[in-house]
Amino acid sequence: MPKEEKRKREELAFQYVIGLVQPCSAMYAQRIKDAWLDYEYGRTPEGKWMKEMDKFECLTQAHEYEQKTHGKENLEEFQSYRSKINSAVGNSWLRLLDTERATHRVKRQRRLPVTFITGDQMMYKPHCASLAQELDFQYIAIDDLVRAKSRDCSYQHAKFVGTYVDEDLELPVGLITELVEKSIEEGIRDGKRWSVVHGFPVNMDQLLEFEQQVQESNYIIFLEEAPQYPFVSASNQWRSADLQEILEMYDNHAFRSDKVRRHDALLDEVVKLFDEGVGKRLKAGETYSTRCEEDADKLRLAMRDKVNEVRSCLDSEEQQEAPSPPDLFKKINSKQDEAALYGSIKNALEGFTRHAEGDTKRLPLH
């Protein structure tokens, strides 16, 4: 939108707001008007500060979007707002943001050597721990990690984590992701060439957070047909919807980009809303002529065709980049006998490490 058009619309909006307030209090209406003019034209130090922070907020949003899109979207246009940051405090915050962006870019250029084992958390824990020891991998059990952190007096969030453990609550997704990342890095410093993380992710929120903040396209072993996990509370036990989402993401339609998933969801919602709108009108008793119903059907079909067309284009665009699903995701039937299950998990772990070592020409493991 052109700058002048934007300003005109904002002026009209404030005129409307002031008109609403004025009958109740002319004084407050004037204060609202003055505050807006201070911001818009920088008439006061406070107004200049708010204008500056508005631009800084755009820069922070751009960084957050860089993380969500794995750095694939070009957001350099937003960097022009840097010239609008003039105060000492604003520039100190800008330097912190630059440091955070640089750190995130470096993280994106590495690959942490890790396999996640999700599904059943307790019954097969000894199998996974023994395998990690046999292969000289670091073994990280999420429940043990969380409990250990709750008792670690040197950990800044120990009391906070302890409360979550005592109340049988699921830790905030950002915190659990940070704990997992730091534990993997500790294993690297200790000379472990690979880490096995058991009990993560337990839902799509955790998986997407790790992919956005740490690295995308991770190796996952999924133990199927597993019983419920007793460590967490009833409200946080394995939900079939969470498992189904993870399975659908990594199996058959694996590793489609966030962009594809966003378009799928948006277009599905458009069709759904249209169908619901027609249904509500029919239930309300509106009389549709045959012609109106035919037109509605044609529009619905046209919308569905457009959905399929966009999906086809996006899928084609991603096809060259997408890794083969079997290389990164393995489903294992947990109801095998113990020896067979042990062997299946071991084969998957060794296969993942071989696959990763084949990628080291492209990306360093750490």
Side-chain angles (χ1 to χ4, degrees):
M1 181 186 299
K3 188 174 182 179
E4 288 306 315
E5 176 67 17
K6 178 176 178 291
R7 177 170 292 180
K8 182 179 178 180
R9 292 190 182 190
E10 289 174 347
E11 287 177 353
L12 290 172
F14 268 93
Q15 285 179 19
Y16 178 73
V17 171
I18 291 166
L20 290 175
V21 176
Q22 199 156 20
C24 301
S25 174
M27 180 185 70
Y28 278 107
Q30 186 62 42
R31 289 177 66 179
I32 291 171
K33 180 179 179 180
D34 288 342
W36 175 66
L37 292 174
D38 288 346
Y39 165 79
E40 189 66 19
Y41 298 103
R43 303 188 312 184
T44 62
E46 293 82 2
K48 291 177 181 177
W49 170 257
M50 290 304 299
K51 194 79 168 181
E52 185 174 312
M53 288 302 99
D54 179 57
K55 303 306 179 187
F56 183 78
E57 196 265 343
C58 289
L59 290 168
T60 60
Q61 281 193 4
H63 173 49
E64 289 171 1
Y65 195 65
E66 282 177 331
Q67 294 175 316
K68 290 180 180 178
T69 60
H70 310 298
K72 294 176 182 177
E73 296 290 337
N74 185 1
L75 301 171
E76 287 304 312
E77 61 182 288
F78 291 97
Q79 298 308 310
S80 62
Y81 292 138
R82 298 170 62 88
S83 63
K84 307 295 184 181
I85 310 298
N86 299 310
S87 69
V89 173
N91 273 291
S92 68
W93 291 357
L94 188 59
R95 288 192 292 272
L96 288 173
L97 181 61
D98 287 342
T99 300
E100 188 172 321
R101 288 186 70 213
T103 301
H104 190 72
R105 283 196 294 269
V106 169
K107 286 168 64 173
R108 284 288 169 204
Q109 297 304 313
R110 69 175 184 184
R111 278 211 65 82
L112 291 178
V114 59
T115 295
F116 297 127
I117 299 181
T118 190
D120 182 22
Q121 309 303 313
M122 296 297 287
M123 186 176 294
Y124 303 108
K125 189 174 174 181
H127 295 68
C128 300
S130 297
L131 271 171
Q133 184 176 9
E134 178 184 339
L135 298 172
D136 196 27
F137 294 168
Q138 177 183 218
Y139 177 69
I140 303 168
I142 293 300
D143 57 337
D144 292 342
L145 173 64
V146 170
R147 285 194 175 97
K149 287 297 180 182
S150 72
R151 297 189 295 265
D152 183 357
C153 296
S154 65
Y155 179 50
Q156 65 185 113
H157 300 304
K159 185 175 180 180
F160 176 80
V161 172
T163 301
Y164 269 74
V165 171
D166 292 341
E167 298 294 330
D168 286 337
L169 300 173
E170 186 176 296
L171 281 178
V173 64
L175 183 57
I176 192 68
T177 299
E178 179 183 301
L179 288 176
V180 169
E181 180 185 9
K182 289 185 176 180
S183 295
I184 297 168
E185 290 172 343
E186 286 173 8
I188 293 171
R189 289 193 294 270
D190 291 340
K192 297 294 184 181
R193 59 186 286 259
W194 203 265
S195 289
V196 176
V197 179
H198 195 182
F200 181 92
V202 299
N203 52 45
M204 282 298 292
D205 288 342
Q206 290 184 358
L207 177 59
L208 293 176
E209 179 76 6
F210 192 88
E211 290 194 338
Q212 290 170 10
Q213 299 298 329
V214 185
Q215 68 183 18
E216 59 180 324
S217 302
N218 294 282
Y219 298 104
I220 293 185
I221 295 174
F222 186 90
L223 300 178
E224 291 187 286
E225 299 181 7
Q228 288 184 325
Y229 177 27
F231 171 64
V232 296
S233 65
S235 61
N236 289 320
Q237 284 175 343
W238 281 91
R239 298 184 295 272
S240 60
D242 290 328
L243 303 184
Q244 190 61 34
E245 279 190 284
I246 293 176
L247 283 171
E248 287 177 358
M249 181 176 176
Y250 281 88
D251 191 24
N252 298 327
H253 306 287
F255 303 106
R256 304 171 71 203
S257 72
D258 282 344
K259 180 169 61 175
V260 178
R261 291 196 293 275
R262 283 197 305 273
H263 278 77
D264 277 358
L266 178 62
L267 293 169
D268 281 341
E269 188 65 20
V270 171
V271 174
K272 179 182 176 183
L273 289 173
F274 178 81
D275 288 342
E276 286 180 353
V278 172
K280 286 178 181 176
R281 289 187 179 182
L282 288 173
K283 287 180 181 178
E286 287 193 24
T287 303
Y288 275 72
S289 66
T290 303
R291 178 63 182 274
C292 286
E293 290 183 2
E294 289 175 353
D295 289 345
D297 287 339
K298 286 179 182 178
L299 179 57
R300 184 186 294 110
L301 290 171
M303 290 172 69
R304 291 188 185 282
D305 286 343
K306 182 57 66 176
V307 169
N308 291 331
E309 179 184 340
V310 172
R311 283 177 176 163
S312 177
C313 291
L314 290 170
D315 283 339
S316 176
E317 179 183 323
E318 298 296 326
Q319 188 173 7
Q320 301 261 338
E321 301 177 7
S324 171
D327 289 335
L328 298 164
F329 182 73
K330 179 69 175 177
K331 287 192 296 184
I332 295 176
N333 185 348
S334 62
K335 290 190 175 180
Q336 305 175 65
D337 64 70
E338 290 195 11
L341 179 61
Y342 190 91
S344 296
I345 298 174
K346 181 178 180 180
N347 288 338
L349 286 172
E350 291 180 326
F352 287 158
T353 54
R354 286 194 299 270
H355 180 268
E357 287 163 359
D359 283 348
T360 52
K361 294 178 181 178
R362 208 167 34 86
L363 290 170
L365 282 177
H366 55 274

